[in-house]
Amino acid sequence: MFKTRLLSGIVLVILALFLVITGAEVLLASTFVISCIGMFELYRVFEIHRSPLSMLGYLAAAVYYANLQWRFLADPMPVFMGFLILLMFVFVFAYPKYTARQIMKVFFGLFYVAVMLSYVYQIRVLERGLYLAFLVFLCSWGCDTCAYCVGVLIGKHKMSPKLSPKKSVEGAVGGVVGSALLVALYSYIFRAQMELDGVQIAVLSGIAAVAALISMVGDLTASAIKRNYEIKDYGRLIPGHGGILDRFDSMIITAPIIYYLSVWLV
């Protein structure tokens, strides 16, 4: 199992490097596909993946991502409002076929998965975005790896015993500190390309620590949903890891944080 997980992790890192470095339409299209798969996994957990409502979710995601490419709307808010109004129309005129809970789950799936993950692409198109985009992976996957290693070595105090009994306070601290150190090292190596001075490197390290801490909330949120619906994994697409949401759960919440903090810094 560990070998399978390790090999899958290496492949994921290589793919991430390729997609981020390539950028442009390739990264946008791949992020859209990943988002749709993640939405499908979530809709399947919610037991609405066979419903026509899920098709509306994918359609809204397609419009949202198309707007990222062609910018026919300066503000994406009309996409969300239009999607919600469309869901209301379906809810009212098909009543009582669908429940209010189903309508809210479809809307949640769009925002939680497709919109949040889109910030990986939105970071990439920023000035110096090639280097800033890797901060998302360092703060999410880096935090996961550091937290796991520290937790295995010295973890004793359970962080959330009912929700995730294997996670420890020591591991969480290790994840936060490890992410900050990884980003500090990364920023120092590419300081010329990113046009950073010592103060900005320190600020980025602080941002990484905050983002890593928040990434754990994203991880635990995905775990909480699985607990609520009594499932082990969201899928089996990635050997040793599970589904898209099992691997990208921390990145979902980290990417928007890195984006807005990067905009502020840059």
Side-chain angles (χ1 to χ4, degrees):
M1 184 62 166
F2 176 77
K3 183 179 179 180
T4 301
R5 186 179 179 87
L6 178 62
L7 290 174
S8 296
I10 293 172
V11 172
L12 283 174
V13 169
I14 293 172
L15 283 175
L17 285 169
F18 170 75
L19 293 173
V20 172
I21 291 172
T22 304
E25 290 81 3
V26 174
L27 179 60
L28 179 67
S30 60
T31 307
F32 170 65
V33 171
I34 290 170
S35 296
C36 286
I37 296 172
M39 289 174 67
F40 171 78
E41 290 176 351
L42 189 63
Y43 288 161
R44 182 171 56 192
V45 171
F46 290 158
E47 297 182 346
I48 56 174
H49 61 294
R50 300 183 188 279
S51 168
L53 288 175
S54 64
M55 294 297 106
L56 296 179
Y58 304 135
L59 176 62
V63 173
Y64 173 76
Y65 273 84
N67 186 59
L68 290 178
Q69 173 64 28
W70 290 293
R71 296 291 180 183
F72 46 82
L73 293 172
D75 183 354
M77 185 57 68
V79 175
F80 309 137
M81 293 176 62
F83 178 48
L84 183 58
I85 292 171
L86 178 60
L87 288 175
M88 290 177 177
F89 265 90
V90 173
F91 179 47
V92 169
F93 290 104
Y95 190 85
K97 185 175 181 179
Y98 304 113
T99 66
R101 185 171 295 180
Q102 289 176 311
I103 298 296
M104 289 185 281
K105 287 176 178 177
V106 174
F107 188 83
F108 175 74
L110 169 72
F111 205 90
Y112 175 62
V113 183
V115 175
M116 301 284 270
L117 276 179
S118 74
Y119 281 93
V120 175
Y121 169 77
Q122 295 188 65
I123 293 171
R124 179 62 179 84
V125 297
L126 290 174
E127 181 185 357
R128 292 171 259 171
L130 172 60
Y131 302 97
L132 292 170
F134 286 113
L135 297 180
V136 177
F137 298 92
L138 288 173
C139 292
S140 55
W141 292 355
C143 178
D144 288 346
T145 303
C146 292
Y148 174 79
C149 293
V150 174
V152 169
L153 291 173
I154 60 172
K156 293 181 179 179
H157 302 86
K158 303 299 182 183
M159 184 171 66
S160 182
K162 290 186 178 180
L163 184 56
S164 188
K166 292 184 179 180
K167 287 183 171 58
S168 66
V169 175
E170 293 83 358
V173 173
V176 171
V177 174
S179 294
L181 292 176
L182 285 172
V183 169
L185 178 61
Y186 171 81
S187 301
Y188 180 78
I189 293 172
F190 294 103
R191 63 190 183 281
Q193 294 86 341
M194 297 175 73
E195 300 176 14
L196 298 174
D197 56 29
V199 174
Q200 289 175 314
I201 290 175
V203 171
L204 274 179
S205 298
I207 289 173
V210 173
L213 185 61
I214 294 174
S215 76
M216 295 180 193
V217 177
D219 186 6
L220 291 171
T221 297
S223 296
I225 294 173
K226 289 191 287 187
R227 293 281 184 184
N228 282 168
Y229 288 87
E230 299 180 348
I231 61 169
K232 185 178 183 296
D233 294 315
Y234 284 100
R236 288 178 287 183
L237 182 64
I238 307 172
H241 292 269
I244 288 295
L245 293 182
D246 294 295
R247 181 65 278 181
F248 289 82
D249 50 5
S250 57
M251 193 179 297
I252 283 174
I253 196 169
T254 306
I257 300 298
I258 295 293
Y259 172 80
Y260 286 108
L261 291 177
S262 297
V263 167
W264 167 72
L265 178 65
V266 174

